[in-house]
Amino acid sequence: MSTRGFTGRRPPETTRVRLPPGQSLTEDFPVLQIGPNPRIDLDTWRFTLRAGSRPLKSWSWAEFGALPRTRWSGDIHCVTQWSKFDTAWEGVSVDDLLADAGVDAPTAFALAEGYDDYTTNVPFADLTDGRAMVATHYDGAPITSDHGGPARLLVPHLYFWKSAKWLKGLRFTQKDEGGFWEMRGYHMYGDPWREQRFTGD
Amino acid sequence: MIEGPRLPWLDATIVGITPITHRVKSFRLAVTFDRPAVAGQHVEIRLTAPDGYRAQRSYSIASAPSRDGTIELMVEGLPKGEVSGFFDGVAEVGDTLELRGPIGGAFVWRPEDGGPLLLVGGGSGVVPLLAMLRHRAAAAPHIPALLIYSVRAADEVLVQDELVRRAETEPGFDLMLNLTGDGGRRIDAALIGEALERLGAPRHTFICGANPFVGAASDLLVEAGLDPRTIRTERFGG
Ligand SMILES: Cc1cc2nc3c(=O)[nH]c(=O)nc-3n(C[C@H](O)[C@H](O)[C@H](O)COP(=O)(O)OP(=O)(O)OC[C@H]3O[C@@H](n4cnc5c(N)ncnc54)[C@H](O)[C@@H]3O)c2cc1C
């Protein structure tokens, strides 16, 4: 059923094919977060991989900076209905982190943890094989605090709430444990192309 | 745990439209949610063109949670806005739209969460805060609350009469209206300091508005010593 009097402002076909259902293109870079930006000092910053509560490996900012670099460009999709095209990121792939830590596949699931105590769950398979990185640069410059710097997760094939800002670590879990939004009615997986915004979508 | 019923698209009929400023209109929609709402939540609106093309946007609920089968939204008409332009120029009483909700589990306040409650709104970002104030007045009037409401000009204040009346008649509710335009100032440390002195240490703080406003306000509040974990933010965009 159509809405009386609504014609809409259709984006060009080239844009439409790149927009998942229910999304619109934005040129801005909207900011989404649940609270204030945490204050993060690079001198004390650490990034830690854990299996459950057991630390597997931890890097200081300098050690992290010495890891192999990865770049990715493409489109990102936020659950609040905007998408941004051709974003360019650089950081360290989760594959390279695991290799440096000397671990294979600890468990089938992970929780990303932020310095703001935010958490979000991502299956292990969605973090590896080049599908995710811990990004430190956006568009050639260090990621600003508003966008999750100094380091944020980037899992661009899922809704952007999965790309946790101000990342302090990844915790591998036995079960698929919901994170902050997943416990509040948002989808456990969050595939934009299947419009998995909310529980049951 | 997280398995739950799908959030369905519902038909909502516009039963009332009231202009509240030159850019913002209030819309009352008849809709029955299949789950209870909490103050601070929003809905998704979906408009469909005759050829099936759709546009989808989020709007905060301005009304307090109620069982009367209606909600109020306040939409600011943006000059070329695809959806807000429809609300501003096309929508009429009797029209039916698709909507789903209520959505959002972080930017929410329930009476049992307690107070004091510090609300900081910029422009149309006051909308979800209004739902909290309305709910507080009806369900928990003993909880102290203070609203810092920042707008460019006096004629952009949403529901000024209601806010002023509440501040005058509701013990425990305090209003600080701040104009940023002509001769006014942006919210700053002094203003935040005054608010904290008037309210006392807030147990919960909610900040809503455009990006730069929310960023600036949350930094000021953290600098003023508030525990970041007690501060929740929502951004409408921009
Ligand atoms: C949780 C939430 C609650 C909201 N509550 C309200 C409300 O109560 N009242 C209200 O008037 N508006 C509210 N908004 C904003 C609203 O969803 C729309 O973004 C706004 O009405 C503009 O839509 P449009 O179709 O008219 O404009 P568009 O045609 O989309 O264009 C307007 C401009 O804004 C940009 N834009 C659009 N949407 C967003 C976005 N979400 N973030 C960043 N930039 C964007 C576009 O790129 C474009 O430059 C809310 C947004 C969110 C996320």
Side-chain angles (χ1 to χ4, degrees):
Chain A
M1 191 202 63
S2 68
T3 316
R4 186 198 62 79
F6 177 71
T7 46
R9 191 192 53 214
R10 282 164 193 65
E13 188 56 25
T14 46
T15 301
R16 269 168 90 177
V17 296
R18 285 167 74 176
L19 281 176
Q23 297 292 108
S24 331
L25 183 60
T26 182
E27 301 298 327
D28 310 335
F29 197 153
V31 178
L32 277 138
Q33 59 200 52
I34 56 175
N37 297 359
R39 323 247 125 161
I40 299 170
D41 182 356
L42 290 182
D43 292 336
T44 53
W45 181 93
R46 291 202 78 80
F47 182 83
T48 308
L49 292 181
R50 289 173 210 278
S53 56
R54 184 171 54 91
L56 297 171
K57 170 114 191 182
S58 177
W59 295 265
S60 68
W61 184 251
E63 289 159 353
F64 198 83
L67 294 170
R69 309 287 294 170
T70 293
R71 284 170 199 218
W72 180 86
S73 297
D75 307 343
I76 58 174
H77 312 289
C78 176
V79 73
T80 61
Q81 291 137 353
W82 57 264
S83 294
K84 187 170 175 61
F85 288 171
D86 303 315
T87 62
W89 304 84
E90 190 191 310
V92 181
S93 72
V94 176
D95 302 304
D96 286 331
L97 287 169
L98 290 165
D100 195 61
V103 261
D104 273 343
T107 62
F109 304 100
L111 265 181
E113 302 177 311
Y115 274 97
D116 58 343
D117 293 336
Y118 177 86
T119 54
T120 187
N121 62 323
V122 185
F124 182 80
D126 289 83
L127 292 174
T128 45
D129 280 338
R131 304 183 85 193
M133 71 163 91
V134 177
T136 56
H137 286 68
Y138 172 72
D139 235 358
I143 301 176
T144 59
S145 174
D146 270 353
H147 293 300
R152 74 176 297 162
L153 187 62
L154 179 73
V155 198
H157 63 285
L158 301 179
Y159 279 126
F160 221 49
W161 89 78
K162 296 287 184 182
S163 293
K165 292 170 150 188
W166 311 300
L167 197 66
K168 68 173 179 194
L170 290 173
R171 182 151 60 87
F172 300 105
T173 58
Q174 295 296 335
K175 288 184 302 184
D176 193 10
E177 293 177 25
F180 183 88
W181 285 117
E182 295 81 13
M183 299 300 286
R184 288 168 175 76
Y186 284 74
H187 200 274
M188 283 296 269
Y189 184 64
D191 178 354
W193 292 98
R194 287 184 280 166
E195 208 174 355
Q196 292 172 333
R197 297 179 199 274
F198 308 112
T199 306
D201 274 353
Chain B
M1 161 187 74
I2 297 165
E3 289 316 306
R6 190 172 207 272
L7 193 59
W9 287 100
L10 306 167
D11 281 338
T13 303
I14 302 178
V15 294
I17 303 181
T18 320
I20 43 180
T21 67
H22 57 287
R23 289 161 58 136
V24 179
K25 284 184 186 168
S26 153
F27 296 84
R28 187 150 291 271
L29 298 163
V31 62
T32 306
F33 293 134
D34 69 353
R35 60 202 80 191
V38 187
Q41 288 184 305
H42 64 275
V43 293
E44 280 183 357
I45 296 276
R46 180 164 87 177
L47 307 180
T48 307
D51 66 353
Y53 167 79
R54 281 172 167 160
Q56 202 168 307
R57 299 284 185 282
S58 304
Y59 293 95
S60 300
I61 303 173
S63 43
S66 87
R67 267 175 230 149
D68 74 356
T70 72
I71 58 167
E72 183 187 18
L73 306 181
M74 294 180 178
V75 181
E76 175 174 353
L78 299 182
K80 278 186 243 142
E82 183 174 27
V83 173
S84 67
F86 168 86
F87 273 104
D88 191 42
V90 180
E92 284 174 8
V93 169
D95 284 347
T96 299
L97 318 169
E98 278 185 300
L99 161 167
R100 67 175 182 162
I103 297 164
F107 198 83
V108 290
W109 178 79
R110 297 174 178 82
E112 56 267 35
D113 297 334
L117 195 55
L118 176 60
L119 308 176
V120 187
S124 55
V126 78
V127 176
L129 308 180
L130 197 55
M132 294 181 190
L133 282 178
R134 289 169 165 179
H135 194 42
R136 168 200 167 275
H142 56 282
I143 292 177
L146 184 146
L147 171 67
I148 303 177
Y149 181 11
S150 197
V151 288
R152 263 174 310 238
D155 64 355
E156 288 176 22
V157 180
L158 305 189
V159 295
Q160 176 150 19
D161 293 351
E162 175 183 336
L163 290 173
V164 169
R165 177 180 50 75
R166 287 187 186 282
E168 281 168 5
T169 60
E170 291 174 8
F173 171 54
D174 202 355
L175 174 65
M176 287 175 68
L177 205 53
N178 182 57
L179 303 183
T180 60
D182 272 347
R185 60 170 190 190
R186 294 182 176 276
I187 59 165
D188 54 21
L191 189 121
I192 296 290
E194 189 193 333
L196 294 176
E197 206 172 292
R198 275 157 73 165
L199 178 69
R203 181 150 178 197
H204 301 288
T205 299
F206 294 91
I207 310 172
C208 184
N211 265 337
F213 176 83
V214 174
S218 29
D219 286 347
L220 284 168
L221 286 163
V222 172
E223 277 154 29
L226 295 199
D227 179 347
R229 287 168 304 184
T230 65
I231 304 176
R232 285 290 155 88
T233 58
E234 180 113 290
R235 300 164 191 246
F236 281 5

